[in-house]
Amino acid sequence: MKKTMLLILFCWLSVYCRAQTQTDPKAIKEKMEWFADAKLGIFIHAGIYSVNGIDESWSFHNKKISYADYMKQLSGFTLKKYDPASWADLVKESGARYAVITTKHHDGVAMYDTKQDNLSIVKAAPANRDMVKPFFEELRKRGIKCGAYFSLIDWSHPNYPGFLKDSSRYAVQKDYDRWNNFRTFFQGQITEINNMFKPDLWWFDGDWEHSAEEWEAEKVRHIILSKNPAAIINGRLQGYGDYNTPEQNFPVTRPPFNWWELCMTINDNWGYQQADQNWKTPYEIITIFADVVANGGNLLLDIGPKEDGTIPDQEVNVLKELGAWNKKHAEAIFNTTGGIPAGHFYGPTTLSKDSTTLYLFVAGKTSGQLMLKGLDCKIDEISVLGNGAKLTYKVVGKISWSPVPGLVYIDLPDGVQDKYMTVLKLKLDKPVKLYRGQGGLK
């Protein structure tokens, strides 16, 4: 009896401790540390929609194409040139610390060998292979964290309530047994992904169609964390995620979140579309990335592979150029914190974790004098990151009897600029201190 009681007590304590780890703010902060330091992830929208080059899932939802014609793309999804090692090499070269790949989009087509139904590229497409497993294996060989995108919505499953614009199918409240059957299905897929791949990060999508209670979001979180307590979850689980995910457009002001991530495409679409040639340039991506990091966030930059498993040349070029810039300026990006408030410097800034080094990001071919306001610290040295050039500066307007610091003017000569974005390193005599007052006014 005593052994039984001790065993029960041990099991209860294990569950309690695990639950505390899942909800305790300190524990969450500790497990989010790698994410906060990572700064850059690569998002990969791989799916049958690349065959015709149409909107992923939404094309049939929005009646651009019939559902039957959309699903015919299964027969053209080959992956005949898919090389997960080269994909992982490209992710590594970009400087990204994590990658997120679609395991299933709203169309219900699994990109791995699901045992919950037969709608997968393993069973229903000529690809006849699991896309996720070998990619995660290659990422982990390179020390890159693995993320799984998973759509809660499944517009192909017979027990899902239907499309947003299709009122002909059932409502959850009118047929709860059917909804429970669907919940068993999608939670079964989450369980098998969790067991097979052990994602470091879960990127849910589609939660807007139902409430947290209907999704059983708390249960979903428990399913994941009971198996892998270190996993982190994005904010699209009806309040049961760890960080926020603004999409496509950068917030004008700094988001009031502990952790956030901007997900953005390299052109105008998530998946591969032959007709979409509106590619963002390396300069545009780099300046967006710098702005995100300066505001304390991460960039999840999306690419859309072709149906044969190759990545468009334009996307490869952007990732390589971004990677070269990251390698040169890594010190100012990775393992840093968001910079000083806007208005002190007209451009993005970051800080070392001890706040004794301030990094200033200068776009384009700027030269001449740069102004820094309100810096109430002594500058020990200013250099150009990546080439070591030492810069001169002077302080203007400092009055000996006033606590208001002067304006710092930094001389940036021609010939030291990066072709995309130059980064200046300011070594300070103490952790950064800023004057935030109203000047000489009483």
Side-chain angles (χ1 to χ4, degrees):
M1 177 65 75
K2 287 183 178 179
K3 287 184 178 180
T4 302
M5 291 299 294
L6 285 171
L7 180 61
I8 292 171
L9 179 61
F10 175 77
C11 292
W12 183 87
L13 285 172
S14 297
V15 171
Y16 174 78
C17 291
R18 187 161 57 231
Q20 288 298 102
T21 301
Q22 294 169 11
T23 57
D24 178 63
K26 182 179 179 181
I28 292 174
K29 184 176 180 180
E30 287 174 354
K31 80 170 184 177
M32 291 298 294
E33 185 174 2
W34 76 258
F35 180 81
D37 290 342
K39 309 304 180 186
L40 179 63
I42 302 301
F43 211 177
I44 302 171
H45 271 70
I48 66 171
Y49 36 84
S50 60
V51 174
N52 291 347
I54 56 178
D55 299 343
E56 62 290 333
S57 307
W58 292 98
S59 53
F60 68 82
H61 172 275
N62 291 327
K63 316 299 184 186
K64 291 182 181 179
I65 185 174
S66 71
Y67 174 77
D69 284 340
Y70 179 94
M71 296 306 289
K72 286 179 182 177
Q73 294 177 104
L74 273 165
S75 64
F77 194 77
T78 67
L79 288 186
K80 61 185 178 183
K81 297 181 180 178
Y82 178 43
D83 182 357
S86 69
W87 280 27
D89 283 341
L90 183 60
V91 171
K92 183 76 172 180
E93 187 174 355
S94 75
R97 274 34 175 183
Y98 63 106
V100 179
I101 189 171
T102 46
T103 61
K104 186 185 76 170
H105 207 270
H106 312 329
D107 58 17
V109 180
M111 308 306 292
Y112 69 99
D113 191 14
T114 180
K115 301 300 188 293
Q116 301 299 312
D117 65 6
N118 293 322
L119 188 52
S120 71
I121 61 168
V122 181
K123 297 185 179 77
N128 193 32
R129 63 185 298 190
D130 185 320
M131 196 174 196
V132 179
K133 184 175 185 291
F135 183 51
F136 275 16
E137 288 173 350
E138 294 296 338
L139 288 176
R140 287 187 166 126
K141 288 177 185 177
R142 293 157 179 79
I144 298 169
K145 298 285 188 180
C146 301
Y149 169 104
F150 183 85
S151 171
L152 296 165
I153 293 171
D154 190 324
W155 287 329
S156 287
H157 197 277
N159 286 325
Y160 190 74
F163 306 161
L164 285 170
K165 296 181 180 180
D166 185 352
S167 59
S168 64
R169 295 176 71 180
Y170 81 97
V172 169
Q173 296 80 3
K174 294 181 180 179
D175 197 339
Y176 227 76
D177 288 341
R178 194 172 175 186
W179 175 246
N180 276 328
N181 287 335
F182 176 72
R183 286 198 298 206
T184 298
F185 165 76
F186 92 80
Q187 290 172 14
Q189 287 193 321
I190 289 171
T191 298
E192 65 185 4
I193 291 170
N194 208 35
N195 292 340
M196 291 165 66
F197 308 130
K198 299 177 176 58
D200 302 294
L201 182 152
W202 282 81
W203 215 99
F204 286 109
D205 201 8
D207 67 333
W208 63 83
E209 286 206 359
H210 297 280
S211 67
E213 292 74 21
E214 288 174 341
W215 289 123
E216 292 184 327
E218 185 175 12
K219 178 183 176 182
V220 169
R221 183 176 177 88
H222 175 75
I223 288 170
I224 292 168
L225 298 183
S226 62
K227 184 73 175 181
N228 182 12
I232 65 176
I233 301 169
N234 77 333
R236 302 187 184 193
L237 190 60
Q238 288 288 4
Y240 286 87
D242 299 311
Y243 68 94
N244 290 76
T245 56
E247 184 169 323
Q248 290 287 35
N249 293 304
F250 180 76
V252 175
T253 57
R254 186 168 182 166
F257 314 124
N258 288 331
W259 305 282
W260 65 276
E261 170 195 75
L262 172 65
C263 57
M264 176 175 279
T265 54
I266 288 184
N267 53 3
D268 291 337
N269 290 278
W270 298 103
Y272 174 69
Q273 295 195 22
Q274 300 94 322
D276 184 359
Q277 296 297 314
N278 191 29
W279 303 103
K280 296 179 180 70
T281 65
Y283 172 79
E284 290 163 352
I285 292 296
I286 287 168
T287 52
I288 291 168
F289 179 42
D291 216 10
V292 169
V293 174
N295 282 277
N298 289 9
L299 176 64
L300 185 62
L301 183 62
D302 179 72
I303 61 175
K306 299 179 182 179
E307 58 81 24
D308 64 359
T310 58
I311 298 171
D313 291 341
Q314 296 91 336
E315 293 178 337
V316 172
N317 177 62
V318 167
L319 294 191
K320 286 180 176 289
E321 289 294 293
L322 174 60
W325 185 83
N326 279 333
K327 186 176 182 179
K328 181 179 178 181
H329 303 102
E331 177 186 331
I333 303 161
F334 306 104
N335 304 303
T336 62
T337 64
I340 58 179
H344 288 278
F345 178 72
Y346 298 123
T349 64
T350 59
L351 285 162
S352 60
K353 286 191 174 181
D354 65 3
S355 296
T356 62
T357 304
L358 172 64
Y359 302 96
L360 310 179
F361 293 71
V362 184
K365 301 298 182 182
T366 301
S367 62
Q369 287 188 309
L370 305 173
M371 184 176 68
L372 178 62
K373 296 188 292 185
L375 183 65
D376 197 6
C377 302
K378 179 179 178 295
I379 300 172
D380 289 338
E381 180 182 271
I382 302 177
S383 60
V384 178
L385 209 60
N387 66 28
K390 300 296 188 292
L391 304 183
T392 60
Y393 71 96
K394 66 176 181 178
V395 178
V396 174
K398 172 60 181 168
I399 302 172
S400 60
W401 49 262
S402 172
V404 181
L407 305 173
V408 178
Y409 279 90
I410 303 168
D411 295 313
L412 183 60
D414 291 325
V416 299
Q417 288 80 5
D418 180 82
K419 65 178 179 178
Y420 295 125
M421 198 169 209
T422 307
V423 182
L424 308 187
K425 176 181 179 179
L426 280 65
K427 294 179 67 175
L428 309 176
D429 68 333
K430 60 183 179 182
V432 68
K433 181 182 177 185
L434 299 172
Y435 175 76
R436 302 285 286 167
Q438 301 296 316
L441 297 177
K442 299 290 188 181

